[in-house]
Amino acid sequence: MDRLDAKILTILQERGRISITELAQMLKKPRSTIRERVLKLEKNGYIKGYRAIVDPEKLGYRYLAFVMLKVRRRVTTSGISNQEEIARKVLIDTAKDPSLPFVEEAYIITGAYDIILKVWAKRWGDLTSFLIRYLASFEDIISSETFLVLKAISENKGVFPYK
């Protein structure tokens, strides 16, 4: 990874639909060089893919919450941690069931809690039901704490700096 690769990654993170020709013009490099570099960055896993960043509010998601879960720790019969199993199940269930809020991200974390969920809900009742009914159905969830987002100040959308 050199300075040119870093510049390519920065631009692609901000403008994923930019053409190779336009990218080459911006960087004042031959199109073939830029195309080769992009392909190499993709092949080596620096670029995982390309996607549209959607505005959740335009889709009707009015509430954003971060839900912290404290989980009884144990290794499951499948050999993975209970925390990971619960996080995966929540992600799968919420992707399949339209009555549940959308869980955008789930992380296993250190500290007083074990899992953090980034939860989007269309209606207040959906979030309430998720918290007091759905999560309560997991016997290994000991407790939860919910933080409602009042206003997002910075949403970098995964634009990583290269220094």
Side-chain angles (χ1 to χ4, degrees):
M1 163 91 66
D2 61 14
R3 288 168 90 64
L4 180 57
D5 290 334
K7 287 178 183 178
I8 291 169
L9 288 175
T10 299
I11 293 168
L12 287 176
Q13 286 181 96
E14 294 169 356
R15 297 181 56 197
R17 292 181 55 147
I18 192 171
S19 70
I20 296 293
T21 301
E22 192 176 353
L23 186 57
Q25 289 170 349
M26 284 180 72
L27 296 170
K28 296 178 178 45
K29 299 286 181 189
R31 184 184 183 286
S32 59
T33 300
I34 298 303
R35 182 176 181 281
E36 185 179 298
R37 292 287 188 116
V38 170
L39 290 173
K40 185 177 173 185
L41 289 166
E42 290 171 349
K43 180 182 174 217
N44 291 332
Y46 288 94
I47 299 172
K48 289 183 165 185
Y50 300 89
R51 63 187 175 123
I53 298 169
V54 177
D55 183 346
E57 288 185 25
K58 298 280 187 193
L59 297 175
Y61 291 95
R62 297 176 50 205
Y63 304 100
L64 172 59
F66 287 91
V67 179
M68 312 291 284
L69 303 175
K70 192 175 288 192
V71 174
R72 187 173 295 111
R73 294 180 183 181
R74 63 182 178 83
V75 177
T76 64
T77 55
S78 62
I80 63 171
S81 73
N82 195 33
Q83 297 96 315
E84 187 174 346
E85 190 171 88
I86 289 170
R88 287 182 190 275
K89 180 159 178 34
V90 168
L91 288 169
I92 290 167
D93 288 352
T94 58
K96 287 182 181 177
D97 188 343
S99 72
L100 292 171
F102 172 61
V103 177
E104 182 180 0
E105 298 173 317
Y107 298 95
I108 311 267
I109 58 173
T110 63
Y113 293 93
D114 300 297
I115 300 170
I116 184 170
L117 305 172
K118 184 177 181 182
V119 182
W120 289 95
K122 289 183 176 183
R123 292 173 295 281
W124 184 251
D126 295 342
L127 183 58
T128 301
S129 180
F130 175 77
L131 296 170
I132 65 175
R133 289 190 185 90
Y134 174 76
L135 290 180
S137 71
F138 289 85
E139 62 183 42
D140 284 336
I141 294 178
I142 299 167
S143 65
S144 67
E145 188 170 358
T146 303
F147 300 89
L148 293 174
V149 174
L150 301 176
K151 183 175 185 171
I153 303 302
S154 174
E155 295 184 60
N156 289 333
K157 302 293 185 197
V159 178
F160 289 89
Y162 298 92
K163 298 178 182 177

